[in-house]
Amino acid sequence: MKKEERQKIILDYLSKEHRVTSIELSEFLSVSEDTIRRDLKELSDQGLLKAVRGGAVAPSPIPLHYRKREKHDLENKKIIAEKAISYLKDGQVVFIDGGTTSLALVASFPYDLKLTVVTNSFPVAVLVEDLPNIELIFAGGKMCKISFATASIETIDFFRNFRADICILGICSIHHERGITGVFYEDSLIKQNMIQNSNFVIGISSVEKVETAESYFVCPIKDIDVLVTNISPEDEIFKVYKNAGITIL
């Protein structure tokens, strides 16, 4: 079997299982584990999967650029927003990071909700501006044109000056072993500071991001209190997260 054919089979296998071990692939393809490890490294270098110890996990299938994400999976974002909004109460200070699911949540805010929103997201800031009872504090710095959010040293330092009641964390990838990970280094550091300076953390994520991984570490899964998704919390995929003490909504 040619390398290209073998690697295609690996990617097809991973798309169905989300995670695969080198031993499984070695037996499935009747090749050595060393051959599989080389294949996984090549595919990881191309960004087609994430090589981990003993195997690989799938990357997030979500489009990278904000403009492509804003029209992606709108109905499920509404479902997530409707679930998450129950945690927001008058008088809270709330961190909201960039992301189209975060934007869907803000779009569902009741007109009379009274919050202080601290964000680095330009689209979130624009929506909040129209809500008369919400105070907006914007994190400055260099704008990332892919995410439409500020992401620089200044932004990272900014969030250290606040103590939020709740952090609304838009999740790029979440995996029960790899934790929460992101595509961009600076953005991942910003998320770390938001988590560290919040009393309660709500991760919002469509199920297609669950059991995927990206390059930059944000936090272990135990650092989030609630994971809000678009499917039933009783789904088998969430069992390991419930065992870690996370509330699934």
Side-chain angles (χ1 to χ4, degrees):
M1 182 184 297
K2 294 181 178 180
K3 179 176 71 172
E4 292 77 12
E5 183 182 356
R6 187 174 63 245
Q7 291 185 354
K8 182 179 184 304
I9 292 173
I10 290 172
L11 292 174
D12 289 343
Y13 190 100
L14 189 60
S15 70
K16 297 174 184 176
E17 302 297 329
H18 298 289
R19 177 181 174 84
V20 65
T21 68
S22 298
I23 295 174
E24 287 173 338
L25 289 174
S26 174
E27 294 175 351
F28 185 66
L29 293 168
S30 299
V31 295
S32 70
E33 287 187 51
D34 285 340
T35 297
I36 293 298
R37 278 191 285 269
R38 287 192 293 270
D39 284 339
L40 295 181
K41 184 179 185 307
E42 285 187 22
L43 293 169
S44 183
D45 290 343
Q46 296 172 46
L48 299 174
L49 52 73
K50 294 297 173 184
V52 298
R53 180 176 296 180
V57 296
S60 172
I62 306 302
L64 189 59
H65 199 285
Y66 179 89
R67 286 300 187 200
K68 293 182 178 179
R69 286 185 285 120
E70 66 179 345
K71 302 298 183 183
H72 177 79
D73 207 20
L74 294 179
E75 286 304 314
N76 282 324
K77 289 173 185 174
K78 291 179 182 178
I79 291 171
I80 293 169
E82 289 171 2
K83 291 182 179 181
I85 201 167
S86 63
Y87 283 91
L88 300 181
K89 309 296 180 186
D90 285 351
Q92 292 173 330
V93 175
V94 182
F95 286 160
I96 302 178
D97 69 352
T100 53
T101 308
S102 298
L103 191 67
L105 175 61
V106 176
S108 70
F109 281 3
Y111 193 70
D112 59 350
L113 184 62
K114 299 175 182 179
L115 299 175
T116 296
V117 169
V118 186
T119 186
N120 64 324
S121 166
F122 283 94
V124 165
V126 169
L127 280 187
V128 167
E129 190 273 334
D130 288 330
L131 298 172
N133 296 314
I134 296 186
E135 180 179 355
L136 172 66
I137 301 176
F138 188 77
K142 183 179 179 181
M143 187 184 85
C144 173
K145 292 187 177 181
I146 294 177
S147 64
F148 283 13
T150 53
S152 62
I153 294 298
E154 293 85 356
T155 319
I156 295 167
D157 288 338
F158 182 89
F159 283 99
R160 295 192 178 113
N161 296 318
F162 298 88
R163 295 296 180 270
D165 297 293
I166 289 181
C167 170
I168 304 295
L169 191 74
I171 290 177
C172 176
S173 289
I174 181 169
H175 187 274
H176 70 281
E177 292 179 345
R178 303 281 286 178
I180 295 172
T181 52
V183 177
F184 301 112
Y185 175 67
E186 290 85 357
D187 183 60
S188 296
L189 292 180
I190 291 167
K191 289 179 187 291
Q192 286 180 13
N193 275 327
M194 293 171 71
I195 292 166
Q196 290 166 7
N197 293 302
S198 300
N199 295 331
F200 194 81
V201 181
I202 301 173
I204 52 178
S205 170
S206 61
V207 73
E208 59 189 335
K209 301 176 187 177
V210 177
E211 291 301 280
T212 69
E214 295 295 345
S215 298
Y216 297 106
F217 181 71
V218 174
C219 69
I221 61 171
K222 66 179 179 60
D223 283 3
I224 66 171
D225 299 287
V226 177
L227 177 62
V228 184
T229 77
N230 55 299
I231 67 172
S232 168
E234 302 307 316
D235 192 281
E236 186 66 20
I237 197 172
F238 299 126
K239 183 177 180 180
V240 67
Y241 297 91
K242 290 180 179 178
N243 290 343
I246 299 171
T247 299
I248 308 297
L249 197 66

